[in-house]
Amino acid sequence: MWWRSASFILDRQQHQNRTVAPSPESFLLSSPPPMADSPLNPKSNISAYYQTRAAHHAVVTSDWLAQAQAAVGRHSDDDGSLGDDKGAAPIGGGGGGGEEEGSGKAFSVIDEFNSWRKQPALAEAVAAIRALAAVIRTSEATTMMELEIELKKASDSLKSWDTTSISLTAGCDLFMLYVTRTSALEYEDFNSAKSRLIERAEKFGEISCKARRIIAMLSQDFIFDGCTILVHGFSRVVLEVLKTAAENKKHFRVLCTGRPDRTGLRFSNELAKLDVPVKLLIDSAVAYTMDEVDVVLFGADGVVESGGIINMMGTFQIALVAHSMNKPVYVAAESYKFARHYPLDQKDMSPARRPIDFGVPIPSKVEVETSARDYTPPQYLTLLFTDLGVLTPSVISDELIQLYL
């Protein structure tokens, strides 16, 4: 399972270099810093995932980029923090779960999740993992059965928060499998078993948080000097890949699709800060410029059992054009986005909507397509860069079996 992950190689290197024993408390289980509330509109027909996505990731600050750079170069960090998450609480930080001291406020897994996910550099699935870890830490259960039931209810609550978010569902499912499936729990007293669950939750969180940095390192062999890379939308893992390439003194340029949701504009702004040559183009100009492209690089909302991906609208048509012109199509995706779905066509997945701003008033009788994402079949993808390794689409099914077994 996770022992195949490249992060375990890094863990072993870190273990050999350690001179100070780590704190027994986990960064994963510490509470997030207080953040300003930004409630969603629960009655909106727009997916909660897409209501908040732009707000979360619209600004990737230079501080965050500096921290990502430090994370890429740090192979033996043992300072009590997980390098790629800015603003996270240190080990032994104040408790955010359970009943707050003197306030009498009961622990809520949704509140904990909402606190974590407001951090711009933190993936939504990782925020859910941290919230579930806090459930274990604050649980007052006295038996393993009670604790597992409590965890299952918390996981179901998080998944129902937005049923259209593939990574959120996959992250919760993988957390439950990884943390609770160990035969040792049957032979230990409850306190020891609970401690073991906390350790496994911590390990799962570390793997998830390191994923972006590992992917960036593994993908460098596929970015060469003088290449032109086409990207679509705003993907933090793709940004990390390109940022690492720039730090390695590779010379390349990037083409960003820019409409209609301005994600390409935000992505190009971040690349401009790194002095990477970047060019904006409208989505309908992809075929026109494909002859200039050497590599197409996507992120993903989810990786499915077929080996295909579900990603923001327009990914499929770009992959079709690239495939017809023999351009390699690469996908950078964390393993916690591996989902047990097998879509048969574009409509065979949970609907997700996003607001579309055309910049002009739309007549009331005109219907507007607001679908947020599409499905790209595996035959149009070349390789997937994951924290489990560089995989072909045909290997994804085997990896999913290993993860969910």
Side-chain angles (χ1 to χ4, degrees):
M1 201 156 95
W2 291 106
W3 60 269
R4 304 179 64 184
S5 169
S7 66
F8 275 78
I9 298 174
L10 296 180
D11 289 341
R12 284 197 294 269
Q13 293 173 350
Q14 292 171 10
H15 181 72
Q16 292 168 1
N17 296 329
R18 281 177 182 156
T19 57
V20 181
S23 167
E25 292 187 49
S26 165
F27 165 82
L28 170 69
L29 302 178
S30 62
S31 112
M35 305 285 288
D37 291 334
S38 57
L40 304 177
N41 177 9
K43 296 184 179 179
S44 172
N45 62 350
I46 302 299
S47 162
Y49 178 67
Y50 287 96
Q51 280 191 65
T52 58
R53 184 170 181 177
H56 297 164
H57 315 318
V59 179
V60 179
T61 65
S62 57
D63 289 341
W64 180 86
L65 290 173
Q67 185 130 17
Q69 179 179 4
V72 171
R74 184 165 59 246
H75 295 281
S76 58
D77 57 332
D78 196 27
D79 58 357
S81 64
L82 298 176
D84 57 347
D85 296 322
K86 182 179 179 353
I91 291 180
E99 294 191 358
E100 296 181 0
E101 218 176 299
S103 69
K105 183 179 178 182
F107 172 82
S108 166
V109 69
I110 297 297
D111 291 344
E112 185 83 2
F113 167 68
N114 283 332
S115 296
W116 283 114
R117 73 183 181 86
K118 290 172 185 174
Q119 298 183 35
L122 198 66
E124 202 165 59
V126 179
I129 289 166
R130 292 185 172 176
L132 289 173
V135 171
I136 302 175
R137 180 170 60 87
T138 60
S139 174
E140 297 180 356
T142 57
T143 66
M144 283 305 303
M145 182 61 72
E146 289 177 7
L147 182 54
E148 287 198 32
I149 291 173
E150 191 174 338
L151 263 180
K152 181 66 166 60
K153 288 180 179 178
S155 174
D156 291 342
S157 296
L158 289 172
K159 289 190 288 186
S160 64
W161 181 84
D162 184 4
T163 56
T164 68
S165 178
I166 299 171
S167 62
L168 178 61
T169 298
C172 290
D173 289 343
L174 288 170
F175 178 92
M176 294 295 295
L177 288 172
Y178 182 82
V179 172
T180 61
R181 287 195 177 181
T182 169
S183 59
L185 299 178
E186 301 174 8
Y187 308 105
E188 297 177 333
D189 62 83
F190 175 72
N191 290 332
S192 298
K194 184 176 179 180
S195 297
R196 185 177 293 272
L197 287 184
I198 291 174
E199 290 172 5
R200 292 176 70 82
E202 175 184 354
K203 189 62 182 178
F204 188 84
E206 289 175 352
I207 292 169
S208 301
C209 289
K210 290 176 182 176
R212 201 179 299 160
R213 177 162 57 95
I214 293 169
I215 291 169
M217 292 189 293
L218 291 176
S219 60
Q220 293 309 298
D221 289 341
F222 299 87
I223 298 177
F224 52 89
D225 277 333
C227 71
T228 297
I229 303 170
L230 175 66
V231 301
H232 182 56
F234 190 104
S235 167
R236 289 166 299 179
V237 66
V238 170
L239 180 61
E240 186 73 9
V241 169
L242 298 180
K243 181 180 181 299
T244 304
E247 290 168 355
N248 291 337
K249 308 302 181 184
K250 294 187 177 182
H251 301 285
F252 59 94
R253 72 174 183 135
V254 179
L255 305 181
C256 296
T257 58
R259 292 198 317 201
D261 60 359
R262 299 173 65 85
T263 53
L265 178 60
R266 298 203 307 272
F267 198 88
S268 62
N269 286 340
E270 297 305 323
L271 291 176
K273 294 175 185 177
L274 301 172
D275 294 325
V276 173
V278 59
K279 181 179 180 180
L280 270 174
L281 60 146
I282 58 175
D283 292 12
S284 54
V286 166
Y288 173 79
T289 57
M290 188 59 74
D291 59 340
E292 304 175 28
V293 174
D294 297 299
V295 171
V296 177
L297 181 58
F298 295 131
D301 284 353
V303 180
V304 295
E305 288 183 273
S306 63
I309 62 169
I310 296 174
N311 196 37
M312 72 172 292
M313 185 64 71
T315 301
F316 181 32
Q317 63 191 27
I318 295 174
L320 280 171
V321 173
H323 181 75
S324 69
M325 299 179 71
N326 296 316
K327 307 291 185 179
V329 178
Y330 300 138
V331 178
E334 303 91 329
S335 59
Y336 56 72
K337 293 180 178 178
F338 284 26
R340 299 188 73 177
H341 295 289
Y342 202 108
L344 300 177
D345 56 37
Q346 297 298 326
K347 307 299 188 296
D348 191 19
M349 50 188 168
S350 300
R353 308 290 178 185
R354 68 176 178 190
I356 302 293
D357 182 12
F358 286 92
V360 295
I362 305 297
S364 59
K365 294 183 180 179
V366 175
E367 182 181 359
V368 176
E369 176 60 66
T370 58
S371 297
R373 61 195 181 200
D374 59 25
Y375 165 61
T376 303
Q379 61 265 35
Y380 302 108
L381 306 176
T382 307
L383 291 172
L384 291 94
F385 306 142
T386 79
D387 48 303
L388 301 179
V390 180
L391 310 176
T392 61
S394 60
V395 176
I396 296 298
S397 293
D398 294 336
E399 293 296 335
L400 273 159
I401 290 172
Q402 293 293 326
L403 291 176
Y404 283 94
L405 203 57

